[in-house]
Amino acid sequence: MGLFDDFSRFLETRLEEFLRSNPHLELQAIEEQLKEQEEDTLRLILDIQKQEKKLQAEILSAAQEIQRWNDRINKAKAAQRLDLAQAAQERQAALLRQGNQRWGQMQGCKERIEKAKELYRQIQVRRKEVRAKAAEAATRTTTTKTEQNWDTKGWNQSSSYSSFTAADPLEEKFQRWEADEELDQMKRNIGR
């Protein structure tokens, strides 16, 4: 256990260092989390809407049953069968209580749907903000790398090693790809 905990802490520390040195990637990770929250919220809204539809159907069914038992009450009273009329009234009252419960549950669903929709809107706004910050950070990172390249260009030109430096576009692509792969692997490991 100790070795696993040490290794886990090491990986977490490395991930934090990596994200601090690449803020645009941290923002991309946050955006990905917000995207997942957005999708989860949409699923929640759909689930609650299904519950609401089910409750509406149950309320309609209860209303029809109440009407049927009301007709039976009237029919039993007309036939002077007060014993049946009394039992039918009790059944109708039970159906009314059940219908009222379903109505309250349906109102609760409507409120939950509205809250979930508001949460969805907030997540969308936050995600747009994070996306804009990520683009800004990526632009800053690219600008910083370009400035560093201009500052060291004289040094790179005189070296025969210049084809393997960070100014090499292929090297940059591989480094970016490898960094993304490492980040994805870390995310998967942390997600376990």
Side-chain angles (χ1 to χ4, degrees):
M1 283 282 211
L3 180 62
F4 179 74
D5 290 338
D6 290 343
F7 185 66
S8 179
R9 276 193 296 274
F10 170 75
L11 287 177
E12 288 175 17
T13 303
R14 293 288 296 151
L15 177 60
E16 289 172 6
E17 290 172 3
F18 178 78
L19 291 176
R20 272 195 301 272
S21 64
N22 296 288
H24 65 287
L25 294 178
E26 182 176 17
L27 290 169
Q28 286 176 347
I30 292 170
E31 182 188 355
E32 186 63 33
Q33 289 174 343
L34 289 170
K35 180 182 176 188
E36 289 174 13
Q37 288 177 357
E38 194 176 293
E39 291 169 356
D40 290 345
T41 304
L42 277 178
R43 279 192 290 276
L44 176 65
I45 290 169
L46 291 174
D47 288 345
I48 299 171
Q49 286 175 337
K50 286 178 187 176
Q51 290 174 6
E52 181 186 23
K53 295 287 185 205
K54 181 182 175 194
L55 288 168
Q56 287 173 348
E58 289 177 10
I59 291 169
L60 182 59
S61 176
Q64 291 169 344
E65 280 295 301
I66 291 168
Q67 181 61 45
R68 188 167 71 99
W69 283 100
N70 188 54
D71 293 343
R72 287 182 170 176
I73 292 168
N74 293 335
K75 188 176 178 181
K77 283 181 180 179
Q80 298 297 318
R81 292 290 311 263
L82 298 181
D83 60 325
L84 288 177
Q86 180 65 32
Q89 284 177 332
E90 290 172 8
R91 175 66 59 91
Q92 184 182 35
L95 288 168
L96 278 169
R97 283 191 300 276
Q98 183 183 14
N100 284 336
Q101 284 178 332
R102 297 297 183 261
W103 184 265
Q105 291 171 343
M106 186 181 71
Q107 294 303 327
C109 282
K110 289 180 188 249
E111 290 173 14
R112 287 174 53 207
I113 288 171
E114 286 307 310
K115 288 178 182 177
K117 285 181 178 179
E118 179 58 31
L119 176 62
Y120 180 75
R121 285 188 286 273
Q122 290 172 357
I123 292 170
Q124 282 184 316
V125 167
R126 182 71 177 127
R127 188 171 169 209
K128 286 179 185 175
E129 291 170 356
V130 169
R131 191 179 301 138
K133 287 180 182 178
E136 182 181 316
T139 302
R140 268 197 314 265
T141 302
T142 303
T143 303
T144 303
K145 284 183 180 179
T146 304
E147 289 172 0
Q148 290 171 347
N149 289 342
W150 283 106
D151 291 343
T152 59
K153 188 170 178 135
W155 292 98
N156 290 338
Q157 287 179 344
S158 64
S159 172
S160 61
Y161 190 67
S162 66
S163 62
F164 298 107
T165 63
D168 181 10
L170 182 59
E171 178 67 21
E172 285 180 6
K173 287 180 183 178
F174 267 91
Q175 286 177 352
R176 202 170 315 128
W177 175 68
E178 290 166 348
D180 289 343
E181 288 292 312
E182 184 178 341
L183 180 63
D184 288 342
Q185 183 62 39
M186 286 180 188
K187 284 181 192 177
R188 283 192 293 274
N189 289 341
I190 290 172
R192 289 183 187 166

